[in-house]
Amino acid sequence: GCQVFDFGDLNFTQVPNDELYNNLILYPRSVGLASQVLADAVSRAVAAGHSCVTIGGDHSLALGSVSGHARQCPHLGVIWVDAHADINTPLTTQSGNLHGQPLSFLLRELQDKVPQLPGFSWLKPCLSASDIYILKNYDIQYFSMRDIDRLGIQKVMERTFEQLMGRRQRPIHLSFDIDAFDPSLAPATGTPVLGGLTYREGMYITEEIHNTGMLSAVDMVEVNPLLGASQEEVNATASLAVDVIATCFGQTREGAHTAFDELPTPSSPDESDSEEQVRI
């Protein structure tokens, strides 16, 4: 039921001789350049009046998608659904993977903690700690799975919107990592964590975000068919991602309803007993 405009796949350039930054950070120039291309594309899509869906890829793509969105909607708020905080800095990361660091580049409060990486000179922080849902040290509101168990997903979402939109209506950027779900539901992903969201909790999150009427952009990341142990695992993970996106835009769990202005009535009289016996 949605009108869809496909901006197509983006082409990214792998920078040759993309050396480690600080002997640790992987592919900084390639990721920085790709993120810039993505930021431009998301900005164009939002400027054209679309709700922008970005399908990844790993979660480093939020560097580009959130930056591009913020060019058009500087007062946006971000809801980050993920098994991980993704707020390491290049100086605290242990893996060197930029997909564990995007939020540190986007937050204004962390700019004195983030070195200037090659390929990132274009990127300007566009979020404040109060604009996003995560962590402790910078008073960023977050909910763990323990909080979901304790409060229930309804109360978690109520508190999310109270924090993010209590004072004013604002565009929402949803950045959703499929590994937020329990691995039994989404096995084909890179960094699964036991005890994640149930299907019902995940759908409730996106249903409630849709119901605000303020959803402006969605990232769906970390679906990786190469990591499924079987085709069934790949299909299950991909189907779950489709449901997340579709529910963001109005798919419901109430069933598929056929609309009737008036219930139909039988157009012919009932069969006689003899006719029914003959038919049987």
Side-chain angles (χ1 to χ4, degrees):
C2 295
Q3 280 192 317
V4 178
F5 184 88
D6 186 358
F7 278 75
D9 294 340
L10 298 179
N11 295 313
F12 302 122
T13 301
Q14 184 77 29
V15 176
N17 304 316
D18 194 359
E19 298 176 357
L20 296 175
Y21 174 81
N22 202 26
N23 293 318
L24 180 61
I25 306 301
L26 297 160
Y27 311 118
R29 298 161 189 83
S30 298
V31 174
L33 180 61
S35 298
Q36 186 175 17
V37 171
L38 176 57
D40 292 342
V42 170
S43 180
R44 286 196 303 271
V46 174
H50 299 292
S51 298
C52 183
V53 179
T54 305
I55 302 175
D58 68 42
H59 221 157
S60 65
L61 70 74
L63 289 161
S65 66
V66 175
S67 295
H69 191 185
R71 288 180 196 171
Q72 303 298 327
C73 305
H75 59 300
L76 63 81
V78 176
I79 298 177
W80 195 275
V81 183
D82 200 323
H84 311 88
D86 289 349
I87 200 168
N88 270 309
T89 76
L91 304 180
T92 66
T93 178
Q94 295 181 344
S95 70
N97 292 320
L98 281 162
H99 63 74
Q101 305 173 51
L103 281 168
S104 68
F105 290 90
L106 296 170
L107 280 175
R108 296 182 182 95
E109 287 85 347
L110 290 182
Q111 289 321 289
D112 61 339
K113 313 294 185 189
V114 176
Q116 183 68 60
L117 265 63
F120 282 71
S121 60
W122 64 274
L123 183 62
K124 301 294 184 287
C126 56
L127 297 176
S128 296
S130 61
D131 295 335
I132 191 163
Y133 252 45
I134 334 177
L135 294 179
K136 289 182 180 175
N137 289 5
Y138 290 86
D139 196 29
I140 299 170
Q141 180 65 60
Y142 74 100
F143 294 104
S144 66
M145 285 307 303
R146 175 175 169 77
D147 293 317
I148 292 175
D149 290 342
R150 181 171 60 89
L151 298 170
I153 195 65
Q154 177 184 358
K155 184 63 69 176
V156 164
M157 294 311 296
E158 286 176 359
R159 293 188 180 183
T160 297
F161 296 133
E162 181 181 329
Q163 167 81 14
L164 209 56
M165 301 172 66
R167 297 178 302 280
R168 55 175 173 165
Q169 294 288 92
R170 63 201 306 202
I172 293 174
H173 186 114
L174 171 63
S175 203
F176 202 118
D177 190 323
I178 202 72
D179 72 17
F181 284 103
D182 190 80
S184 61
L185 297 172
T189 191
T191 47
V193 179
L194 288 173
L197 296 171
T198 65
Y199 180 87
R200 290 164 64 181
E201 289 166 341
M203 294 307 110
Y204 188 85
I205 290 170
T206 47
E207 286 168 347
E208 289 299 287
I209 292 172
H210 168 73
N211 288 342
T212 67
M214 298 304 295
L215 182 61
S216 182
V218 180
D219 307 325
M220 169 47 63
V221 304
E222 301 284 356
V223 176
N224 191 338
L226 299 178
L227 297 178
S230 64
Q231 191 61 43
E232 288 73 21
E233 288 193 357
V234 172
N235 292 347
T237 308
S239 294
L240 184 58
V242 170
D243 281 353
V244 169
I245 295 169
T247 306
C248 283
F249 294 98
Q251 177 174 287
T252 73
R253 292 177 289 162
E254 297 174 349
H257 300 297
T258 302
F260 292 101
D261 292 330
E262 185 177 342
L263 287 175
T265 56
S267 57
S268 60
D270 294 338
E271 295 174 325
S272 67
D273 289 344
S274 59
E275 288 173 331
E276 186 172 0
Q277 290 298 323
V278 168
R279 185 171 57 79
I280 290 171

